[in-house]
Amino acid sequence: VEDLETIENKVKEDTLALCGEDETRADLDEYLEGIYLSPALYDRMNEVSVLYQNGFTKLYGENGEKMSDEEALAYLEKNGYLSANHILLMTIDPSSYEALDDETKAAKQAQAAELAAELQGIEDTEARLARFAELKEQFDEDSGKAAYPDGYVFQPGDMVEEFENTVKAPEAFQVSDPVESAYGYHVIMTLPLDPDAVLEYSSGGAAMTARSTAANAAYSEMVDSYVEEQELVYAEGFEKPDLLSFVK
């Protein structure tokens, strides 16, 4: 029953999006035929989508929560992910990307040096993390601070080169000297990989964690492997259509 409701809601959403308000399933079918998609195939696609999601949920949980820490961390390591948090003091105007004046830049550099020195002087890891969070809240000018307060988990090439190279070097929880990039001065704390760290956000605003991303990748690989193993057999007398003839 729940699956049928899911499909029914999908049909309603598509009808509204493709045909407009107050339109019916008949209107949707007419639209589908106009783009060479039969209503029967459309229904089958919706059924397969629900089956696919049900299979994922059974194996990995609704959001991948059944995937173990070890499997999630192995996925991150295999794909070269790095993790770090930073305090960014910007030396450009965030709205125009124009450089700030030299006096302001010098003040930012001095501030970054003070922050780094204070954090480097804290020997206890938990105390350093707590103080880092306080200073980040007070001084960080990164536009991503609200969405990623605990830092970034990223792959090579995702961040500016200066940031990435700094993260590769120190041990976890170490704080760097100020690092200058095109954006400003970064005070960077390297972090260990965390299976529940947020990698990104979906178009709907849902947080995609390392665990959920790893689970989706594993499931997709499993399904692809199954599909590749299948043998496609044509019925006697069937002739493969020349698809190019339909678009000429």
Side-chain angles (χ1 to χ4, degrees), residues 20-76:
E21 198 171 353
D22 298 326
E23 300 301 320
T24 65
R25 174 58 198 260
D27 297 308
L28 177 62
D29 288 350
E30 183 178 350
Y31 173 88
L32 295 173
E33 290 172 349
I35 60 172
Y36 305 102
L37 179 62
S38 72
L41 179 56
Y42 167 79
D43 288 337
R44 183 56 180 163
M45 290 168 61
N46 285 336
E47 291 171 3
V48 169
S49 177
V50 170
L51 289 172
Y52 185 93
Q53 186 58 42
N54 286 348
F56 176 84
T57 301
K58 184 175 181 62
L59 290 172
Y60 296 106
E62 187 172 348
N63 296 301
E65 60 272 10
K66 291 183 181 180
M67 171 161 274
S68 69
D69 288 358
E70 292 76 16
E71 290 173 301
L73 290 172
Y75 170 82
L76 293 175

Side-chain angles (χ1 to χ4, degrees), residues 136-150 152:
K136 181 179 178 71
E137 179 62 29
Q138 183 176 357
F139 292 104
D140 186 31
E141 298 172 335
D142 183 2
S143 60
K145 179 171 76 171
Y148 299 93
D150 299 321
Y152 297 98

Side-chain angles (χ1 to χ4, degrees), residues 17-195:
L18 299 173
C19 304
E21 198 171 353
D22 298 326
E23 300 301 320
T24 65
R25 174 58 198 260
D27 297 308
L28 177 62
D29 288 350
E30 183 178 350
Y31 173 88
L32 295 173
E33 290 172 349
I35 60 172
Y36 305 102
L37 179 62
S38 72
L41 179 56
Y42 167 79
D43 288 337
R44 183 56 180 163
M45 290 168 61
N46 285 336
E47 291 171 3
V48 169
S49 177
V50 170
L51 289 172
Y52 185 93
Q53 186 58 42
N54 286 348
F56 176 84
T57 301
K58 184 175 181 62
L59 290 172
Y60 296 106
E62 187 172 348
N63 296 301
E65 60 272 10
K66 291 183 181 180
M67 171 161 274
S68 69
D69 288 358
E70 292 76 16
E71 290 173 301
L73 290 172
Y75 170 82
L76 293 175
E77 293 167 358
K78 177 182 176 181
N79 289 279
Y81 279 92
L82 300 166
S83 180
N85 203 349
H86 76 154
I87 300 169
L88 170 62
L89 303 181
M90 296 188 72
T91 55
I92 59 172
D93 185 313
S95 59
S96 65
Y97 288 92
E98 293 182 359
L100 303 179
D101 61 82
D102 290 342
E103 183 179 351
T104 302
K105 289 174 66 175
K108 299 256 187 172
Q109 183 179 24
Q111 181 69 73
E114 290 181 15
L115 296 176
E118 178 184 348
L119 291 165
Q120 290 168 353
I122 302 174
E123 295 185 2
D124 180 73
T125 298
E126 292 301 322
R128 191 184 312 130
L129 280 166
R131 184 57 177 153
F132 188 98
E134 293 174 353
L135 294 175
K136 181 179 178 71
E137 179 62 29
Q138 183 176 357
F139 292 104
D140 186 31
E141 298 172 335
D142 183 2
S143 60
K145 179 171 76 171
Y148 299 93
D150 299 321
Y152 297 98
V153 181
F154 59 95
Q155 291 177 289
D158 289 346
M159 308 294 276
V160 293
E161 184 177 0
E162 298 87 351
F163 188 101
E164 182 182 317
N165 289 340
T166 301
V167 175
K168 288 179 180 178
E171 297 180 3
F173 305 114
Q174 297 302 301
V175 175
S176 73
D177 291 332
V179 176
E180 185 177 9
S181 76
Y183 294 99
Y185 294 101
H186 308 255
V187 176
I188 303 170
M189 177 184 282
T190 301
L191 298 172
L193 293 173
D194 179 355

